[in-house]
Amino acid sequence: MDTQRSTFANLLQSNTFRMFLIGTLALLLLIPLSFVKDLVRERKSRQERVIEEIDGKWGSAIYFYGPILKIPYKVYSDVKRTTYTTSYAYFFPEELKNNSQVQTEVKKRNNYESAVFTASMDFTGRYIAPNFSSKGILNEDIAWDKATILIRTTNLSSIKNIVTITLAGKSYPLEPTYDQEGEDSYYSWEDTDAMIEIEGEYYGGNRSSHISSLQTGFIPKEELNKPLNFSFSITYDGSKHIAIAPIGKTTEGTISSNWPNPSFFGHFLPYKKQITPQGFTASWRVLHLNRPFSQQSFGELPKINSYAYLVNFLIPVDQYQQNERAVKYGFLVIGMTFLIFFLLQSISKIKIHIFQYAMIGLALVLFYTLLVSITEHSSFALAYLISSVMTIGLISLYSVAILKNKKFPTFIGISLAALYGFIYVIIQLENYALLVGSVGLFVILAIVMYTSRKIDWNQ
């Protein structure tokens, strides 16, 4: 019996059993770490709601599709041509030029901020005489006297001027109209900055906005038998981005702004851009050969949302995304810290109670709640520095009492500083995060293998 008790007591004091307890504790600490992840998601969700409220009152994302020449014609349903329905032909400009000036500002509410803008957009271009011959439509079946100019766009409520298009020297006001021009009544886009990652899956990144129509009155028939020059201006209050569909046979666009951190998306990237701390200027040139739709459409408009060129006006540094990335490495920080204490315990023969490991683990978890809360009132870099200094200082002072000297706590403080510094570098990297992380972990593993080579694991 005494032998069995001695064997059991030795087992409890063995390195193997200590490793089991420490590993179990590290896994249990994933529970409060998951609560921290939920906190980050909740704060990020609140930020999104506040930004949506700010943007909703100022103006949403802008999508512009036009101007389009729209002409009705008859489609007969019987051979005798007695019964017909009215359909529409849509003709895109031969040339389309756009010059947009965008003035941005940052709106703040509580701890949250959103970038909004006022965009003054000038358009010029030219139509050629419309041709129905490719569809075999007779001239007497075309309602030339009911031709109009159509613009499809979002954000009608935030247009700041009366929109009037000039055609061959004559002005035609554009008015909102209810119609169903094709089936793309909603413009949707993927907002990568609004995505929330939950267990490797991304949610909340899809946005949509209703597309409405502006349309002129009828254009005199005689104007349609010759090339038709046009020009107009439109001013929006908006947010998030501007997207313009390149519907000209040749489309040229330039967007200039005081926003210093643009991002360019969409189907076409600018062929020329200049970005400075004072703003940017970007230019596009798109030919009809570059897109999968022709210069005329019969029956309905083509769905070309995904073929627009796009500029994002979003605040580039999202502290909650950086906090999410930091929390991902929480288990690594906990595991590496426990490993440092375990190796010191094994080498120095100093006993560290499992309760003391638990206190150290909770301090490591508390680092992330400090990081989230301080970030909301400062930059992520400053919050990370303050949180890491507080955590490292707390654990280092606590380890003085545990390890009974100053040599080991100094080593622990330096190791934790290096670990938090390493994690910060990984968080800041985009393209090289995996490479740097892998090399760093390899180096850490090599150090651990070298340090633990003389430990007697049979004790």
Side-chain angles (χ1 to χ4, degrees), residues 22-41:
I22 295 170
T24 302
L25 177 61
L27 291 175
L28 289 175
L29 287 172
L30 287 176
I31 297 174
L33 201 60
S34 68
F35 292 154
V36 176
K37 291 181 180 179
D38 291 337
L39 173 64
V40 175
R41 294 169 191 154

Side-chain angles (χ1 to χ4, degrees), residues 73-75 89 132-142 298:
Y73 65 94
K74 296 177 181 178
V75 177
F132 288 79
S133 61
S134 63
K135 294 295 181 179
I137 299 171
L138 301 178
N139 189 67
E140 58 266 25
D141 295 328
I142 303 171
F298 293 85

Side-chain angles (χ1 to χ4, degrees), residues 130-193:
N131 187 348
F132 288 79
S133 61
S134 63
K135 294 295 181 179
I137 299 171
L138 301 178
N139 189 67
E140 58 266 25
D141 295 328
I142 303 171
W144 294 102
D145 56 342
K146 294 183 179 180
T148 59
I149 297 294
L150 173 72
I151 291 174
R152 300 278 284 159
T153 186
T154 58
N155 215 16
L156 285 190
S157 62
S158 295
I159 294 177
K160 310 306 291 182
N161 66 309
I162 295 174
V163 184
T164 302
I165 187 169
T166 301
L167 298 168
K170 297 180 181 179
S171 297
Y172 299 85
L174 286 128
E175 301 291 344
T177 180
Y178 175 79
D179 56 14
Q180 295 181 350
E181 305 292 345
E183 299 178 3
D184 57 342
S185 58
Y186 280 88
Y187 164 59
S188 61
W189 70 94
E190 188 177 82
D191 187 354
T192 56
D193 293 272

